[in-house]
């Protein structure tokens, strides 16, 4: 059994999302004592404080999966120069009611891929601001603003030769970060 359970939150719902592919390929770069589970966020209702006392099953599931994890991996798309609304909605569900956040204290990594030349740099910065408020220690370096171009993935959906070394380095830093900060 893996020692470190990592909850992966992908900020894109699209079936063929580059970020979902990125999340899956990143997990294959981790050592054997790390396991990664993508958390479903597409079935969450819009956050409404009126429902804090009696959250629906999908919200209870999200909160339980995050609470059980020793680390977090956020893989975000960038929509209109920010993070996707579905990702912000999931964060809000996990952080409420006030004082009962399941995110707090869990070490996190943030990365993303986009067809745009600057990757998901702005979305990642917005996400980092939110995570800082929620007391989520977030890996600062190396950053990974990935340009989704031909050759990023090979035919088996692993990283292509030109990206593998850079992304393995990112994963190695992330693994060290989680080992240092996991409680």
């Amino acid at each position: 059994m893996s020692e470190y359970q990592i909850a992966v939150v992908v900020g894109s719902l699209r079936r063929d999302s580059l970020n979902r592919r990125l999340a899956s390929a990143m997990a294959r770069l981790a050592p054997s004592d790390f396991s990664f589970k993508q958390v479903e966020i597409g079935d969450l209702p819009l956050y409404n404080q009126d429902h804090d006392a009696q959250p629906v099953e999908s919200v209870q599931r999200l909160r339980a999966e995050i609470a059980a994890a020793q680390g977090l991996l956020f893989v975000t798309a960038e929509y209109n120069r920010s993070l996707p609304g579905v990702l912000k909605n999931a964060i809000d569900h996990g952080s409420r009611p006030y004082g009962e956040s399941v995110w707090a204290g869990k070490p996190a990594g943030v990365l993303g891929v986009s067809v745009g030349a600057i990757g998901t740099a702005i979305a990642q910065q917005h996400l980092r601001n939110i995570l800082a408020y929620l007391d989520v220690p977030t890996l600062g370096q190396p950053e990974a603003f990935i340009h989704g171009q031909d050759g990023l993935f090979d035919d088996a959906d692993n990283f292509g030769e030109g990206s593998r070394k850079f992304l393995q380095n990112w994963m190695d830093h992330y693994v060290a970060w989680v080992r240092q900060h996991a409680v």
Side-chain angles (χ1 to χ4, degrees), residues 14-147:
R14 191 169 60 91
R15 182 183 61 236
D16 296 326
S17 162
L18 285 173
N19 284 285
R20 189 164 310 285
R21 290 173 69 191
L22 175 64
S24 296
M26 289 301 295
R28 290 189 289 275
L29 297 178
S32 62
D33 61 336
F34 275 66
S35 67
F36 293 76
K37 179 181 181 189
Q38 291 187 23
V39 177
E40 175 61 47
I41 64 173
D43 61 348
L44 299 171
L46 292 176
Y47 175 75
N48 181 338
Q49 189 175 6
D50 292 341
H51 302 146
D52 280 355
Q54 294 184 318
V56 298
E57 186 280 324
S58 60
V59 172
Q60 292 176 38
R61 184 204 69 244
L62 168 82
R63 292 180 57 80
E65 289 178 355
I66 300 305
Q70 286 72 52
L72 307 167
L73 180 61
F74 291 91
V75 185
T76 186
E78 183 168 302
Y79 296 168
N80 301 313
R81 296 286 187 249
S82 191
L83 64 146
V86 67
L87 177 54
K88 179 63 166 71
N89 187 54
I91 291 169
D92 291 345
H93 276 295
S95 69
R96 304 300 298 216
Y98 183 80
E100 297 180 24
S101 175
V102 294
W103 307 109
K106 296 199 182 281
V110 175
L111 56 111
V113 59
S114 173
V115 296
I118 61 170
T120 59
I122 298 171
Q124 287 187 45
Q125 188 56 50
H126 288 177
L127 179 55
R128 288 173 184 283
N129 289 341
I130 295 165
L131 296 177
Y133 173 75
L134 294 175
D135 192 28
V136 175
T138 305
L139 176 67
Q141 294 293 326
E143 295 175 310
F145 309 134
I146 303 164
H147 183 193

